[in-house]
Amino acid sequence: MKLLDRVITKEDSGKTLADVLKEPGIDPEKQNVQVWIDGKLTTVPADKLKVKPGWKIEIVPLPSGGGHHLLGAIGAIAVGVLTGGLAAAAIGSVSLLGGALTLSASTIFAIGFTVGAGIFSYLTATKPKLPSFGDTGEMFGSSPTYSWNGIQTTTGQGVPVPVVYGKHAVGGVRIQYRLFGTDAVTGKVDNDRLILGRTESNGNPVGRFSQWLWDFILLSEGEIESVEELFFNDIPYKSVEGTYFHCVYTKGTGWPEPIVVLSGNLGSSPSGKNWWWGEINQYAFSAPTYLTVPINKVVSSDEKFTYVTSMPAKYIERLSVNLQFPNGLFKITDSGGLEIEECKVKFTLYKGYEKLGEVEVPLYGGVKEPFIYVYDLYINKGVQENNASPYPFGYNFYDPQDNPTLDEIPYTLIIEKTSQDNPTIKDSNSLSIQCITEGLGRSARVSTDGVVTTNPFKIAYTKSATLVYSLAASSVVSGNLPNVKAVIKGKKVKVWNSEANQWETSWTDNPAWIIRDILTNSRYGLGDFIREEDIDDESFKAFAEFCEEQGYRCNLVLDGFQRGWDLINNLLAKFRAFILRNGSKYKVKFLKDEPPVQMFTMGNIIQGSLTVHFISASDRYNTIEARFLDESDGYRMKTILVSTGEKYERKKTIDFFGITDRATVEKECRFLLSWMQKVKRSIEFEAYLDAIAIEPGDIFLFSHDVPKWLLSGRIVGQKGNVLTVDRELPPDTNYIKVRTKTDQIETFEVDRVEGNKVYLKDTSTNQQDGDTVTITAVLFPEMENCPYICGRITDKPKLYRCTEITRTAENIRRITAVEHNPELYD
């Protein structure tokens, strides 16, 4: 429910949003609400925002537990768990590997809905509508999965963490990453000089001139079943694994959280550096928190580069500066020998106006290949009262933390190259800054003998399946941050085990149990509005059995923003189903051929209320452009055309999200086209409430005098097998159908008709066995005041399927229906 929905007029010119909201008594700063302008969420303070004529202002209350800094949508769900938390993203490109953010996961949805139908429209209309077999166009316009660009790994705040059902490929959300230096280059102190040279082991060079990436990705809400396949830039991970590749994942089980090793060794890491795993124990994986900001800035002699941290000072314990030497760091003598070259870099750190210190670091190198060296600036908060001298991997600044106000503002880091540029073939000390990583934590310090102590913030993602890996840039994976694609068997949900006669939590691709989970899950679905006890489980059990019979599998990724009820309806439509509210229960129904449950005749249809609509050819498409992600081709977006072959094409585009096999897509397209060819008529009529014993989706028999569809009415009297009806009937009538008082539709043979008297054929039998005669008499049910339809045996009664029931008066309902053709379901 919206607290406000209005359009700004000219009379509002000059007002702030706060002024406009004062009229209905709304205060966004005190109330748990979201402010939307022209369909977009705004976080600008209401007293700072000048309104403009024509703006549409909508105020939406958040569910309890929500917050102003988290995203939601008007009457919508962010399909997935939104990333939020510590920091905003610093997104850009980096020359080897790029992009950045460090966030925790949290959940919020603002969902509003009305009960609708998946395969039928439940909206009141002036004339009956054809069934809606799902939305067309971009169902998930914001989804990184359902895109022509292929499945993408996303980076950004407020991006939904995917919810994967069945088996599907997903890119996930890159929560954070860190770039490390070139493994083949190591720094060591020699005569108080920091010398960068080849990494050695027993005097032999080791390592590769490649940069290392540590990457942390949220794959899906948990608990998932497993990760089946993994690709980097569409290259299978087995092509990059080996000594330089390590990868683990978690399933998002909660607590305890097991670690699954996909590749590599938990006990080893390149060059003995234990930096990439974070902290692993038998209960959970806790990741350190990094915010990597791309820089890609060349620093020349006597030039200053100023960097302002993205996070407030109180959150930062380390700044790691990736120093890039694009041509190496070396000097060649006239005789061709290699000498040490110098590159001096000066770091000055401020917190607001307070200077914390400065240090000039002379770097010496004899490396001819391009490389990156990471220099760490640790920030010791109130523990050690002096700055530590340089050592191979970094420097220690002292932050006394004597001014709490300054802790809320960022650090400012000034970087200068104080040595002269020597960009020649024989002499190179060119320097650029690749990126700066903010290490988040409480405090860090380094002792004079080089012992580092850190206290980082660590986050355990116990409800999300995570992927953590490290790899070195290579001919297989290089350039920008790799696009990760994991094929996973997704979320475990509550399912009914018919053999054990009990509910279980397990992996499934049955659409019934997946849709039930979306309806009832309070973390990412509609569970704040629909409880477990609100579900008609018997209908879902029947739907699950129907899906098994039809061979339906639901393989789905929810990672876009979509109206909650639209999502349910469109997903159900792909499996010939829809949902309705039956009393206090939500019930799923599906299309199949089944016996009629009611009869509408001249005896219970309100006189003069019938309208018959013939659906024109222009309203019935004969070609479907079907779009889906093809599981046989790496889950790439595919388009296929299915047509009846008619000369003039009437095309409809349908997105078959949730279905990933071509055979099922083609099967459903053929079903829809057959429907369009065979269902050509719809009706509307009114009946009194006491005559309505159907609900949308039910099939009923229909007879009416105006279109001359058989003869019908009510039985006004009965004596044994003789029925008295409310009209005279033709003498050639030879059958009659009656909806009895036990709600059964029965068919009787007619022996003869005399005016309004109908004599039912007596099928009693006599069987003689010797001197014993057994008489089997037929007892006719009580049928007085029941509706009937009658005719000749060659006349088939009309079958219709109810699509909508609306209220027109206190005890009167209007019924909308379309033809039911049993041949559709052969």
Side-chain angles (χ1 to χ4, degrees):
M1 180 184 71
K2 301 176 186 177
L3 300 180
L4 180 68
D5 188 351
R6 62 163 290 189
V7 176
I8 300 299
T9 64
K10 292 182 179 180
E11 287 73 23
D12 297 315
S13 297
K15 293 183 180 179
T16 65
L17 180 60
D19 297 328
V20 173
L21 299 182
K22 283 180 183 179
E23 300 170 11
I26 298 173
D27 186 349
E29 296 301 317
K30 296 180 179 179
Q31 294 173 262
N32 200 20
V33 298
Q34 289 179 329
V35 180
W36 290 72
I37 299 176
D38 290 339
K40 295 182 180 180
L41 178 69
T42 180
T43 56
V44 178
D47 59 344
K48 305 292 185 184
L49 185 61
K50 292 280 189 179
V51 298
K52 297 180 181 179
W55 277 5
K56 183 178 181 181
I57 308 294
E58 296 169 292
I59 308 297
V60 181
L62 287 173
S64 59
H68 298 284
H69 64 292
L70 298 173
L71 297 181
I74 298 173
I77 62 176
V79 184
V81 180
L82 296 181
T83 57
L86 291 176
I91 304 174
S93 62
V94 160
S95 128
L96 178 60
L97 299 158
L101 99 134
T102 304
L103 299 173
S104 61
S106 52
T107 309
I108 187 69
F109 300 108
I111 310 170
F113 62 87
T114 57
V115 177
I119 209 150
F120 296 123
S121 169
Y122 268 59
L123 300 175
T124 304
T126 55
K127 69 174 184 177
K129 293 182 178 180
L130 281 171
S132 171
F133 292 102
D135 201 6
T136 60
E138 297 296 333
M139 178 61 187
F140 285 106
S142 60
S143 169
T145 299
Y146 297 91
S147 165
W148 288 107
N149 295 324
I151 295 172
Q152 300 294 314
T153 303
T154 57
T155 303
Q157 188 176 20
V159 176
V161 176
V163 182
V164 181
Y165 291 107
K167 182 179 178 180
H168 208 289
V170 65
V173 180
R174 178 168 281 119
I175 292 297
Q176 56 176 326
Y177 74 91
R178 187 177 176 188
L179 300 175
F180 292 86
T182 304
D183 188 48
V185 176
T186 303
K188 62 181 179 180
V189 176
D190 185 6
N191 294 325
D192 294 326
R193 297 191 306 172
L194 178 53
I195 300 176
L196 308 182
R198 287 289 277 119
T199 305
E200 295 182 352
S201 177
N202 298 323
N204 298 314
V206 297
R208 301 189 301 175
F209 280 91
S210 302
Q211 191 175 11
W212 285 88
L213 165 70
W214 176 91
D215 205 1
F216 186 99
I217 293 174
L218 296 186
L219 290 177
S220 171
E221 268 291 280
E223 175 186 5
I224 67 167
E225 178 72 10
S226 60
V227 174
E228 300 288 298
E229 301 174 68
L230 184 63
F231 301 86
F232 297 96
N233 297 336
D234 287 328
I235 299 171
Y237 79 92
K238 289 186 177 296
S239 297
V240 301
E241 70 177 349
T243 305
Y244 298 97
F245 177 71
H246 303 263
C247 181
V248 299
Y249 72 90
T250 66
K251 297 184 178 183
T253 57
W255 194 268
E257 178 71 88
I259 306 297
V260 182
V261 180
L262 193 65
S263 181
N265 188 329
L266 286 175
S268 67
S269 57
S271 299
K273 304 185 186 74
N274 190 17
W275 38 255
W276 54 284
W277 286 117
E279 180 180 340
I280 299 176
N281 56 41
Q282 61 179 325
Y283 298 111
F285 171 81
S286 298
T289 49
Y290 301 121
L291 179 61
T292 300
V293 181
I295 304 297
N296 293 324
K297 169 68 175 176
V298 175
V299 181
S300 302
S301 297
D302 298 320
E303 180 182 358
K304 294 183 179 180
F305 170 73
T306 301
Y307 174 77
V308 180
T309 61
S310 301
M311 297 296 294
K314 65 180 181 180
Y315 291 129
I316 298 174
E317 71 167 9
R318 175 174 53 182
L319 295 173
S320 298
V321 183
N322 283 34
L323 301 174
Q324 184 171 14
F325 295 89
N327 301 311
L329 180 61
F330 64 92
K331 179 186 291 185
I332 297 178
T333 65
D334 292 339
S335 62
L338 187 66
E339 285 189 353
I340 296 296
E341 174 64 293
E342 179 186 61
C343 180
K344 293 182 180 179
V345 184
K346 182 178 180 181
F347 301 98
T348 307
L349 187 66
Y350 289 86
K351 186 169 68 171
Y353 55 80
E354 181 181 349
K355 182 178 178 180
L356 299 181
E358 64 180 43
V359 60
E360 184 178 59
V361 181
L363 301 172
Y364 298 89
V367 182
K368 294 173 62 177
E369 294 86 355
F371 69 93
I372 292 173
Y373 188 79
V374 179
Y375 197 82
D376 291 320
L377 303 173
Y378 294 94
I379 301 174
N380 172 16
K381 299 181 179 180
V383 178
Q384 184 175 315
E385 293 187 2
N386 61 306
N387 295 330
S389 58
Y391 80 109
F393 301 112
Y395 184 81
N396 187 88
F397 283 105
Y398 173 63
D399 181 355
Q401 290 192 305
D402 52 2
N403 189 336
T405 302
L406 295 181
D407 288 337
E408 301 295 331
I409 64 175
Y411 287 118
T412 298
L413 176 66
I414 298 176
I415 304 174
E416 303 174 66
K417 181 182 179 184
T418 56
S419 57
Q420 292 298 313
D421 294 329
N422 298 314
T424 67
I425 296 177
K426 292 185 176 183
D427 196 354
S428 178
N429 67 351
S430 298
L431 174 68
S432 64
I433 301 171
Q434 181 198 37
C435 62
I436 296 177
T437 298
E438 300 173 19
L440 307 186
R442 296 170 181 84
S443 179
R445 68 179 185 272
V446 57
S447 64
T448 54
D449 57 358
V451 177
V452 180
T453 304
T454 61
N455 190 15
F457 295 122
K458 293 184 178 180
I459 302 174
Y461 298 83
T462 56
K463 290 186 178 181
S464 296
T466 62
L467 179 74
V468 186
Y469 70 90
S470 71
L471 59 77
S474 66
S475 60
V476 177
V477 177
S478 62
N480 294 323
L481 279 172
N483 187 64
V484 178
K485 182 171 71 175
V487 178
I488 71 176
K489 294 182 75 173
K491 196 173 185 310
K492 296 181 179 181
V493 301
K494 186 176 179 180
V495 302
W496 175 254
N497 186 329
S498 57
E499 294 182 0
N501 198 36
Q502 65 183 16
W503 290 100
E504 297 175 350
T505 299
S506 63
W507 178 86
T508 183
D509 57 6
N510 189 299
W513 308 129
I514 289 171
I515 292 168
R516 187 186 185 280
D517 184 71
I518 298 173
L519 285 170
T520 59
N521 195 294
S522 59
R523 181 167 164 83
Y524 51 77
L526 295 168
D528 285 342
F529 305 90
I530 301 176
R531 303 166 298 173
E532 288 268 349
E533 53 266 33
D534 296 330
I535 298 295
D536 184 334
D537 283 326
E538 293 305 313
S539 71
F540 275 84
K541 292 175 186 177
F543 181 42
E545 184 177 346
F546 171 74
C547 291
E548 291 290 340
E549 294 170 354
Q550 294 292 325
Y552 288 148
R553 296 183 298 115
C554 182
N555 300 309
L556 178 69
V557 179
L558 304 182
D559 59 358
F561 292 87
Q562 174 69 359
R563 292 183 181 274
W565 212 238
D566 289 348
L567 167 66
I568 294 296
N569 289 330
N570 279 280
L571 185 57
L572 281 165
K574 304 305 177 290
F575 305 106
R576 306 185 191 180
F578 60 96
I579 198 166
L580 56 88
R581 188 165 185 171
N582 185 3
S584 62
K585 298 284 188 178
Y586 290 92
K587 181 178 184 179
V588 65
K589 301 196 72 172
F590 44 92
L591 299 188
K592 66 176 183 176
D593 186 29
E594 52 191 347
V597 300
Q598 173 62 305
M599 294 171 54
F600 287 101
T601 72
M602 294 300 295
N604 54 13
I605 298 173
I606 294 177
Q607 186 175 2
S609 66
L610 175 65
T611 304
V612 180
H613 299 276
F614 291 91
I615 304 169
S616 67
S618 62
D619 291 331
R620 291 184 278 117
Y621 50 85
N622 57 21
T623 302
I624 295 177
E625 182 184 67
R627 301 190 296 198
F628 68 104
L629 298 189
D630 189 351
E631 64 187 22
S632 67
D633 189 25
Y635 295 87
R636 291 178 175 84
M637 183 74 78
K638 290 291 186 66
T639 297
I640 60 174
L641 286 177
V642 182
S643 174
T644 61
E646 297 177 40
K647 182 177 180 181
Y648 298 104
E649 181 182 275
R650 299 181 300 277
K651 187 170 69 175
K652 182 180 181 70
T653 300
I654 300 179
D655 289 334
F656 281 87
F657 65 95
I659 301 177
T660 56
D661 65 292
R662 180 175 182 136
T664 302
V665 171
E666 291 179 342
K667 169 187 170 183
E668 292 311 296
C669 287
R670 288 192 294 269
F671 171 77
L672 299 181
L673 292 176
S674 180
W675 180 291
M676 290 296 126
Q677 287 182 309
K678 296 178 180 180
V679 177
K680 302 178 181 180
R681 185 162 41 203
S682 64
I683 58 174
E684 284 183 294
F685 63 91
E686 293 180 347
Y688 289 105
L689 185 59
D690 59 359
I692 297 176
I694 62 170
E695 58 189 14
D698 285 344
I699 298 170
F700 59 85
L701 291 167
F702 188 81
S703 172
H704 200 279
D705 287 353
V706 172
K708 300 186 185 303
W709 293 340
L710 301 180
L711 297 174
S712 61
R714 281 192 180 273
I715 298 171
V716 296
Q718 178 184 9
K719 188 175 182 181
N721 67 327
V722 181
L723 306 178
T724 303
V725 298
D726 56 355
R727 64 192 299 172
E728 290 192 3
L729 299 178
D732 59 349
T733 300
N734 53 24
Y735 82 93
I736 186 169
K737 287 182 177 289
V738 181
R739 187 173 188 274
T740 67
K741 293 184 177 180
T742 59
D743 296 331
Q744 301 297 313
I745 296 177
E746 297 193 35
T747 303
F748 302 96
E749 290 186 64
V750 175
D751 185 54
R752 68 183 187 277
V753 174
E754 297 176 359
N756 68 340
K757 299 288 187 181
V758 180
Y759 293 83
L760 304 182
K761 185 173 290 188
D762 188 352
T763 57
S764 301
T765 61
N766 295 336
Q767 185 175 357
Q768 186 170 353
D769 184 9
D771 295 334
T772 303
V773 178
T774 303
I775 301 175
T776 304
V778 175
L779 298 178
F780 292 98
E782 184 180 348
M783 294 180 278
E784 186 173 344
N785 205 38
C786 291
Y788 71 89
I789 296 175
C790 63
R792 295 182 299 274
I793 200 68
T794 56
D795 298 330
K796 293 183 179 180
K798 298 295 182 182
L799 291 172
Y800 278 83
R801 189 185 292 272
C802 175
T803 61
E804 184 178 10
I805 301 175
T806 56
R807 175 176 173 171
T808 58
E810 182 66 27
N811 293 314
I812 298 177
R813 299 294 183 266
R814 175 169 289 274
I815 297 173
T816 304
V818 295
E819 285 180 304
H820 171 68
N821 189 331
E823 295 178 0
L824 283 169
Y825 308 95
D826 291 342

